[in-house]
């Protein structure tokens, strides 16, 4: 089976902000700030090309162990990102969702998240998921407990729908920037058949040209899902 279609769902592990800043003798949070500019650029490009869903790994549960100023800087950037981008999401039909445990965010940030999710709830053109204080294993365990509490038998379908990405197709493409070759506890269940692209480009430098190359490569990739070529 040959995939000649655009990916419906792209997921990205945005790595390399810290190193990008360090190379410029700047504080790590400056790298995260430039990383947010890349989110603006790349999300626009992804949706402009007709991809329906973009899922970004913005903050893992393990990232909480970073120095306090870095963590609070990322939380602050997240709040600013929502305030700045909500009008654009509304204008462009982007439904916004945060996946992960947001109970660690302060009340103001939780309100911004809830408000953006509510205001964009009925929009259907695109989906932007931000994984924040997210871990793939924790999501799996939470889904298992949810099904068991509801007395629902776990099947591949019921299980998928109980995950944070419930109701969405699995990512067709997963991209990791920053040169590491690992999955780092991201969408563990959902990426069973994803095409995975690792690039050495640091996230602040990731651009449309590279994105287009990945999309083009995906479109000519033979996806067999364990079957033989037909
Ligand atoms: C990885 O770079 C990046 C992160 C851990 C955070 C990503 C966060 C943002 C882009 C800003 C937050 C914005 C929103 C919208 C939530 P790294 O720090 O691990 O880089 P390194 O591997 O070079 O140290």
């Amino acid at each position: 089976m040959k995939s000649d279609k655009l990916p419906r769902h792209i997921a990205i592990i945005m790595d390399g902000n810290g190193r990008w800043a360090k190379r410029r003798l700047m504080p790590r949070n400056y790298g995260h700030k430039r990383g947010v500019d890349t989110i603006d650029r790349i999300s626009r490009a992804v949706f402009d090309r007709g991809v329906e869903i973009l899922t970004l790994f913005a903050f893992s549960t393990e990232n909480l162990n970073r120095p306090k100023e870095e963590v609070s800087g990322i939380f602050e950037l997240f709040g600013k990102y929502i305030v700045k981008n909500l009008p654009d999401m509304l204008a462009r039909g982007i439904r916004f969702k945060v996946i992960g445990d947001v109970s660690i965010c302060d009340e103001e940030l939780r309100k911004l998240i809830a408000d953006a999710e509510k205001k964009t709830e009925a929009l259907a053109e695109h989906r932007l998921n931000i994984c924040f204080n997210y871990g793939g294993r924790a999501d799996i365990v939470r889904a298992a407990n949810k099904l068991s509490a509801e007395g629902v038998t776990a099947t591949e379908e019921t299980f998928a729908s109980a995950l944070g990405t419930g109701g969405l197709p699995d990512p067709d493409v997963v991209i990791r920037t920053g040169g590491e070759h690992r999955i780092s506890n991201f969408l563990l269940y959902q990426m069973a058949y994803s095409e995975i692209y690792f690039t050495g480009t640091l996230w602040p430098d990731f651009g449309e040209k590279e994105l287009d190359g990945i999309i083009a490569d995906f479109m000519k990739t033979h996806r067999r899902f364990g079957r033989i070529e037909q």
Side-chain angles (χ1 to χ4, degrees):
M1 188 171 63
K2 193 166 179 171
S3 166
D4 52 1
K5 288 201 182 80
L6 264 179
R8 244 187 110 183
H9 183 175
I10 295 182
I12 309 181
I13 302 173
M14 308 178 289
D15 196 16
N17 296 342
R19 277 165 287 160
W20 187 92
K22 196 171 171 206
R23 284 179 194 173
R24 287 160 181 79
L25 306 176
M26 295 296 279
R28 293 179 60 82
N29 279 345
Y30 180 69
H32 296 317
K33 200 156 177 255
R34 294 280 78 86
V36 176
D37 296 341
T38 306
I39 294 179
D40 287 345
R41 245 184 318 110
I42 293 300
S43 58
R44 185 166 285 268
V46 162
F47 294 142
D48 279 352
R49 285 159 184 61
V51 174
E52 197 183 319
I53 307 154
L54 177 64
T55 300
L56 300 173
F57 200 4
F59 193 80
S60 72
T61 39
E62 291 76 25
N63 289 154
L64 264 183
N65 300 318
R66 292 187 176 197
K68 245 172 79 184
E69 321 80 68
E70 182 173 350
V71 172
S72 61
I74 291 175
F75 279 49
E76 198 184 317
L77 283 173
F78 190 22
K80 284 187 178 156
Y81 172 83
I82 296 173
V83 172
K84 180 174 163 233
N85 283 280
L86 183 57
D88 191 57
M89 291 177 205
L90 293 168
R92 290 156 55 90
I94 301 168
R95 181 171 174 185
F96 174 79
K97 187 177 181 210
V98 177
I99 300 174
D101 179 8
V102 295
S103 68
I104 55 147
C105 303
D106 65 22
E107 201 187 336
E108 193 187 337
L109 181 53
R110 272 185 282 136
K111 272 195 185 147
L112 285 176
I113 293 169
D115 178 62
E117 288 184 336
K118 181 119 196 50
K119 286 188 174 141
T120 61
E121 195 172 44
L123 304 177
E125 206 152 326
H126 299 290
R127 304 279 303 241
L128 175 64
N129 302 313
I130 302 282
C131 294
F132 198 84
N133 195 26
Y134 171 86
R137 285 184 178 174
D139 197 20
I140 288 171
V141 170
R142 200 192 42 76
N145 287 327
K146 180 170 185 268
L147 292 180
S148 140
E150 290 167 356
V152 176
T153 304
T155 64
E156 290 192 15
E157 287 71 30
T158 59
F159 203 87
S161 66
L163 292 167
T165 49
L168 297 177
D170 290 339
D172 304 291
V173 169
V174 175
I175 302 169
R176 181 178 185 135
T177 63
E180 312 286 0
H181 296 88
R182 53 178 177 257
I183 294 309
S184 298
N185 204 13
F186 188 45
L187 304 179
L188 295 178
Y189 188 89
Q190 298 91 326
M191 65 167 79
Y193 287 103
S194 306
E195 298 289 333
I196 305 180
Y197 293 85
F198 295 102
T199 165
T201 306
L202 304 178
W203 176 246
D205 290 330
F206 188 74
E208 295 179 37
K209 215 168 145 192
E210 204 168 355
L211 173 75
D212 285 334
I214 290 171
I215 293 176
D217 187 81
F218 170 83
M219 287 170 73
K220 62 176 178 2
T221 297
H222 296 256
R223 304 178 82 213
R224 295 188 297 274
F225 295 101
R227 297 188 290 264
I228 57 165
E229 193 92 30
Q230 293 180 13

